[in-house]
Every structure is written in structure tokens, then in C-alpha cells.
């Protein structure tokens, strides 16, 4: 089970840190990712991290602004979001997959087995 939190209303240029706590299973065995879906748009991949924490991938739209990280002791994956823009407004979802994923597949929603409930991020002045 995945529980995402940390969303909210922030002004453009501001920051938020999303958290996703996993329960059940061995967290260190899971590749983790973040996706988002804006109203009227398809779900898109934001960032992903392999189970080792070494390989991290980002959508072009968030590179240099967002950082994914994990704390295996806390069973938690984070998404630090800086320099937020109105176009970052969406519901953000965390997802997990047990086991390794080759790098080229890490940003594909279909490879993830477990999904959180989503947390709303609104960037507006």
C-alpha cells in the first residue's frame, strides 16, 4: 500500500516536497516513481528511481527543478519540487514495482504494480 502526501497550494517559484510511504513488502526491493495527471490531460511520468537508488530519471519538463530520493529506513520516497510553475498543477501519484526495471522502462506506467491515491499540487498566484 502506498500513501502519498505533501501536496498543496503554492505560488509560482515556490517549493513543495511530496512523500510516499509504503507499507507491506520490503521497500528496498521496490523501484519507485512519480506520475502526475492534470485535468483534461493524460497521466504523465515525472520521475523514477531504481531499487538501488542509483539510477534516477526525470521528464524533460522537470529536469533541474525536481529531485527524487528515497529513505529505505522510513519506507518513503520523496519528490522535492522547486521553481514550481503553473503547468506543474496536477494530481501526483506514486507508484512501485517489486524488483529491477531496465532503465528504458522506468518511466512507463505499465511496469508499476502498485499505486498510491494521489495528492493535489496547485501552483497559482
Amino acid at each position: 500500500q502506498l500513501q502519498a502526501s505533501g501536496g498543496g497550494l503554492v505560488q509560482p517559484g515556490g517549493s513543495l516536497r511530496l512523500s510516499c510511504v509504503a507499507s507491506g513488502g520490503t521497500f528496498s526491493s521496490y523501484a519507485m516513481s512519480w506520475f502526475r495527471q492534470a485535468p483534461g490531460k493524460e497521466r504523465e511520468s515525472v520521475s523514477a528511481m531504481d531499487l538501488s537508488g542509483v539510477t534516477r530519471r526525470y521528464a524533460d519538463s522537470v529536469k533541474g527543478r525536481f529531485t527524487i530520493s528515497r529513505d529505505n529506513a522510513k519506507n518513503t520516497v520523496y519528490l522535492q519540487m522547486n521553481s514550481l510553475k503553473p503547468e506543474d498543477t496536477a494530481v501526483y501519484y506514486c507508484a512501485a514495482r517489486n524488483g529491477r526495471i531496465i532503465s528504458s522502462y522506468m518511466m512507463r506506467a505499465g511496469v508499476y504494480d502498485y499505486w498510491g491515491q494521489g495528492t493535489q499540487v496547485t501552483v497559482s498566484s
Side-chain angles (χ1 to χ4, degrees):
Q1 186 174 8
L2 301 174
Q3 182 73 37
S5 63
L9 173 64
V10 63
Q11 292 186 343
S15 298
L16 282 174
R17 187 177 79 158
L18 305 184
S19 300
C20 176
V21 180
S23 58
T26 303
F27 182 73
S28 60
S29 299
Y30 287 82
M32 302 298 297
S33 65
W34 288 95
F35 291 78
R36 68 186 181 187
Q37 187 166 20
K41 295 187 177 181
E42 293 186 354
R43 180 177 54 189
E44 63 175 348
S45 177
V46 176
S47 183
M49 170 182 282
D50 71 349
L51 59 88
S52 72
V54 172
T55 301
R56 309 181 191 193
R57 297 196 64 185
Y58 297 93
D60 289 342
S61 59
V62 307
K63 280 180 181 177
R65 300 189 297 122
F66 291 10
T67 302
I68 190 171
S69 62
R70 65 191 297 159
D71 184 337
N72 288 344
K74 296 182 178 180
N75 290 354
T76 302
V77 62
Y78 301 99
L79 185 68
Q80 178 67 45
M81 305 187 296
N82 298 329
S83 302
L84 283 161
K85 304 175 180 180
E87 51 264 43
D88 294 318
T89 295
V91 177
Y92 284 70
Y93 300 90
C94 58
R97 175 186 170 89
N98 191 357
R100 298 186 181 277
I101 310 175
I102 60 174
S103 180
S104 59
Y105 279 65
M106 285 173 61
M107 301 289 271
R108 298 187 183 187
V111 304
Y112 293 94
D113 305 309
Y114 307 99
W115 291 81
Q117 86 290 359
T119 185
Q120 176 71 46
V121 172
T122 302
V123 185
S124 175
S125 55

